[in-house]
Amino acid sequence: MTTVRRAVLTLPAAPLGPDDPLPALRAPAGAHAVDPRTLAELPRDMARGIGRAPLRSLLPAPVRDGYGRERTPADLDTIVIENDRLRVTVLPGLGGRVHSLHHKPTGRELLYRNPVFQPAAFALNGAWFSGGVEWNIGATGHTTLSCSPLHAATVRAPDGGPMLRLWEWERLRDLPFQVDLWLPEGSDFLYVGVRIRNPHERTAPVYWWSNIAVPEDRRVLAPADAAWHHGYDRGLSRVPVPAAGDGTDRTYPLNSTHAADWFYDLPEGQRRWIAALDADGTGLVQTSTDPLRGRKLFVWGTGRGGRRWQEWLTEPGTPGYAEIQAGLARTQLEHLELAGGAEFSWLEAYGPLATDPATALGEDWTAARADVERSLSGALPRAAVDAAYTAWREGAADLPPEEVLAAGSGWGALEVLRGRHELPGTPFPESTLGPEQEPWRELLRTGVLPAPASGATPLIAPLVAPPWRDMLETAPADPTTEYQLGIAQWHAGDRAQAVRSWERGLKEARTRWPLLYCLAVADREDGHPERAAEHFTEAFNDHEAAQAGPVAPHPGAATGTGAAEADADDDGAGAPVALALGREALDALLAVDRPDRARALWQRLPDSARRRGAFRLLEVRLLLAERRPDEARAVFDAGFEVADLREGAEILGELWQRITDEILPEAYEFRMRPS
């Protein structure tokens, strides 16, 4: 019989640490963008999907950059789904990631299972980790929920056995979703039912990709003769499969030198599947109902940068991995539209596949695909997948949870409370509301956003959806409200009005750094780097003064607390703010060639901050600005690691080339593009 139970997994793990306390006003870096000239040459519907509703910021999600690279054994809560054929291990506290898919009869692990938990800056908002199967919702890239808890509970599966339901409220697009996982008795396949709902009246942009990590010494097959190739040079071109136009079979990940995406162009009417097979023709296959249209292969490549990233995400000496993926659109660069009150739903299946290796791994691509399709039809007919979807959607998707196994955030409960949404199957009870939601619950109840209590951290987690913005516009205009209103206006694209709100709040605020920070970002985004540097520096100074003792009222300020008023942090809770503001101010001062002022600010940072990798990188920039290349080289030679180095970042190579013509040491080689 199938069982669902709690368990614990012990892994070497780097703690996530605190989130960045500053509001995420800027959009994520465009590592997955398409250059305008290429965009103009694409099919019209694809170009529309790529240009649909790009993120203006990461709001209301926080940036998650507080992790390091020191790993110690840690216990991770898991949920295990098991029948007599498969054992599935899920991490509810880390985005609901499927960590392991173990096939009992053969003793094989069907996924790439990371032996460590090491966050890295690949999610839209920072912290992400590699391995297993992740559920990506929101916008192009890895979800902001990569390292966040989801709600989890048991539910009755369509066959009457137990099923694991995961659900949350995705905040970038303001949409609830659920992922139901179950193992029919005697089945070699894990079934996964997914539903995204739009409870609003407005149309919403939707993005979904199920991301499956597999060992890279595989051949990846999908039912397509062409693919859209996307690299870190921001191009997008249609190429033949498997040879990609250059005579090299790119269905073998180790045949690629550089990191790249291959989005397979599946014909209409073709069964949706993708498989990763080893040298004996066995491995993992993923298939789905038709709405999950896209299939993709991502490879790191054999170049120095790709190999270094592989080490960075796990441990040296660990076998590498590739990713096979399945999504709602043809490419990850596109978004679909979901009408108000509507939903997207589909069913996926994951399981082992055995093929004739001479055919599936042979040079005849048509024969190889046909052999995989025959093997898949024998193991799991297409009609069985369609029937399982119907049984799930009509008989199980709306069933209420039975035993709660894990709790997610309280943001869904707040949205349900505000919008009075009816969401059968995915309850967001008021009992899940916590301290982060309490100020907004008070605004909803009274029409007044309360100021932080004296001695509390001054920042309230922002909300930016139109209904909350409307409430802020009618609330009493104190500094707290002006600060939050400006954030919501900024997110909506009304930048001029956002600046006016922040400037009004600044006139009354006693603690001014949050508002100064927002104005600094606005200056930078609007092309005023000198003014941005002034505001960033002033924000750092104001926070430093607040940490030193009671804040004297600013001339003309009100005497009550307001946006970022009391900032007494006896327990050291102000340290993340100081580091974030210091990093921003140094970067801004160096950007306008003010090394003298940057050096003065650098000297005021605590030694513990200056030893961190991100600040060592700033030190290199500072030394080069001061024309001290030998000392900058010494920082490289001493060694440092920037824990939150972004995917696609080339800054280390660029700085090294300003110092020397020598080859960049492998420890700093993270470049993912061809030279």
Side-chain angles (χ1 to χ4, degrees):
M1 293 181 62
T2 299
T3 60
V4 176
R5 57 184 171 84
R6 290 189 182 95
V8 173
L9 174 68
T10 302
L11 289 179
L16 281 169
D19 292 344
D20 189 320
L22 306 177
L25 299 176
R26 282 168 284 196
H32 301 284
V34 177
D35 68 81
R37 186 171 62 179
T38 298
L39 192 63
E41 298 171 352
L42 296 175
R44 186 172 299 177
D45 60 335
M46 180 179 284
R48 280 199 303 267
I50 292 173
R52 181 172 288 129
L55 293 178
R56 295 192 183 100
S57 73
L58 282 172
L59 294 165
V63 171
R64 312 203 69 182
D65 60 359
Y67 52 86
R69 294 193 51 81
E70 292 186 8
R71 297 188 288 264
T72 56
D75 292 338
L76 304 179
D77 291 332
T78 68
I79 299 172
V80 177
I81 315 166
E82 190 166 9
N83 66 3
D84 59 336
R85 310 289 294 176
L86 287 173
R87 182 169 61 250
V88 184
T89 304
V90 179
L91 302 172
L94 295 169
R97 181 83 57 101
V98 175
H99 175 72
S100 170
L101 186 59
H102 178 79
H103 188 232
K104 293 172 160 184
T106 60
R108 296 171 65 104
E109 173 58 51
L110 300 179
L111 305 173
Y112 167 77
R113 184 174 56 190
N114 198 333
V116 305
F117 172 68
Q118 176 57 63
F122 277 70
L124 286 165
N125 63 335
W128 173 85
F129 65 107
S130 65
V133 183
E134 60 175 314
W135 318 111
N136 287 301
I137 181 173
T140 299
H142 295 282
T143 176
T144 60
L145 296 167
S146 291
C147 292
S148 296
L150 303 189
H151 299 282
T154 57
V155 187
R156 286 297 99 190
D159 62 357
M163 178 170 72
L164 172 63
R165 174 162 300 159
L166 306 166
W167 73 100
E168 242 309 350
W169 198 281
E170 199 285 314
R171 301 179 68 205
L172 289 185
R173 302 304 193 183
D174 203 22
L175 301 175
F177 71 98
Q178 73 187 79
V179 180
D180 288 354
L181 305 96
W182 77 99
L183 290 172
E185 188 172 351
S187 174
D188 277 319
F189 282 83
L190 170 69
Y191 287 173
V192 182
V194 183
R195 176 166 60 172
I196 304 170
R197 287 186 274 197
N198 181 3
H200 312 295
E201 295 182 358
R202 65 184 185 276
T203 297
V206 170
Y207 167 94
W208 181 281
W209 283 80
S210 301
N211 185 358
I212 309 145
V214 294
E216 65 182 351
D217 58 343
R218 300 287 189 269
R219 187 183 204 187
V220 173
L221 300 97
D225 292 315
W228 291 92
H229 170 257
H230 179 256
Y232 285 81
D233 55 0
R234 300 190 175 188
L236 185 64
S237 58
R238 196 170 187 268
V239 298
V241 173
D246 61 0
T248 301
D249 189 339
R250 301 295 179 177
T251 63
Y252 289 90
L254 291 173
N255 282 351
S256 292
T257 304
H258 301 288
D261 301 322
W262 309 88
F263 298 103
Y264 296 110
D265 199 355
L266 276 61
E268 289 296 331
Q270 170 66 52
R271 184 178 184 183
R272 316 302 196 192
W273 58 265
I274 189 167
L277 306 178
D278 61 17
D280 63 5
T282 63
L284 172 75
V285 65
Q286 186 269 2
T287 187
S288 72
T289 50
D290 288 349
L292 202 64
R293 174 183 183 181
R295 293 298 186 275
K296 169 192 163 180
L297 165 65
F298 167 76
V299 299
W300 284 105
T302 58
R304 296 174 77 228
R307 305 330 292 173
R308 181 65 178 119
W309 274 116
Q310 294 255 33
E311 291 181 349
W312 187 255
L313 296 171
T314 178
E315 290 183 323
T318 302
Y321 76 97
E323 294 171 359
I324 58 175
Q325 303 189 22
L328 285 172
R330 283 166 297 185
T331 73
Q332 283 184 319
L333 310 173
E334 301 166 78
H335 295 73
L336 304 184
E337 287 186 331
L338 181 59
E343 69 172 47
F344 288 138
S345 62
W346 64 92
L347 185 114
E348 305 180 43
Y350 297 77
L353 192 70
T355 66
D356 172 19
T359 305
L361 307 181
E363 295 183 3
D364 186 334
W365 178 245
T366 301
R369 285 172 39 194
D371 185 64
V372 173
E373 188 116 23
R374 280 192 301 271
S375 299
L376 175 58
S377 294
L380 186 64
R382 183 175 187 173
V385 175
D386 292 338
Y389 166 75
T390 300
W392 167 74
R393 182 61 193 87
E394 295 181 357
D398 287 345
L399 291 178
E402 296 177 356
E403 180 187 2
V404 174
L405 301 176
S409 77
W411 295 113
L414 186 66
E415 293 302 329
V416 168
L417 189 64
R418 181 200 58 75
R420 302 183 186 278
H421 302 303
E422 295 291 337
L423 299 169
T426 55
F428 293 94
E430 287 191 45
S431 60
T432 60
L433 292 169
E436 281 191 307
Q437 293 82 42
E438 190 54 39
W440 297 101
R441 187 183 191 183
E442 186 69 10
L443 173 65
L444 184 62
R445 188 178 67 84
T446 67
V448 177
L449 186 67
S454 178
T457 183
L459 297 182
I460 296 172
L463 284 176
V464 295
W468 295 106
R469 187 174 72 244
D470 292 345
M471 282 184 268
L472 289 168
E473 287 175 345
T474 58
D478 63 12
T480 295
T481 304
E482 296 285 15
Y483 169 71
Q484 292 289 347
L485 176 58
I487 291 174
Q489 291 165 333
W490 178 270
H491 176 74
D494 192 352
R495 293 189 171 186
Q497 190 59 54
V499 169
R500 285 193 285 271
S501 295
W502 292 327
E503 288 175 341
R504 285 196 303 268
L506 195 61
K507 293 177 182 178
E508 301 292 328
R510 293 176 58 211
T511 300
R512 309 169 73 229
W513 62 261
L515 295 151
L516 289 166
Y517 166 77
C518 293
L519 291 169
V521 173
D523 290 333
R524 176 182 280 173
E525 296 294 300
D526 291 341
H528 304 293
E530 292 278 358
R531 200 163 66 201
E534 292 297 327
H535 275 140
F536 278 126
T537 304
E538 193 177 353
F540 177 83
N541 293 341
D542 187 76
H543 180 265
E544 186 179 56
Q547 295 294 288
V551 180
H554 186 65
T559 56
T561 58
E565 296 302 341
D567 193 25
D569 287 311
D570 295 336
D571 61 354
V577 176
L579 293 179
L581 290 175
R583 192 172 175 179
E584 292 277 13
L586 286 169
D587 177 75
L589 289 168
L590 291 172
V592 296
D593 195 24
R594 293 303 306 268
D596 51 341
R597 294 182 60 188
R599 175 61 65 183
L601 193 150
W602 172 268
Q603 297 294 348
R604 288 154 57 193
L605 293 171
D607 289 341
S608 59
R610 293 199 295 252
R611 288 194 296 268
R612 297 189 179 202
F615 286 89
R616 296 287 277 169
L617 178 61
L618 285 167
E619 184 182 16
V620 170
R621 292 177 57 195
L622 176 56
L623 290 167
L624 288 174
E626 294 171 331
R627 296 177 174 80
R628 298 157 66 185
D630 291 343
E631 292 172 73
R633 169 65 185 264
V635 176
F636 271 104
D637 291 343
F640 63 93
E641 292 183 325
V642 183
D644 63 337
L645 191 71
R646 288 294 306 184
E647 174 187 10
E650 299 182 345
I651 182 65
L652 293 170
E654 292 168 356
L655 293 175
W656 180 261
Q657 288 175 347
R658 291 176 58 187
I659 296 171
T660 177
D661 293 332
E662 297 175 23
I663 295 175
L664 181 66
E666 289 190 6
Y668 303 111
E669 180 58 275
F670 292 94
R671 292 173 293 191
M672 300 172 75
R673 295 188 297 172
S675 302

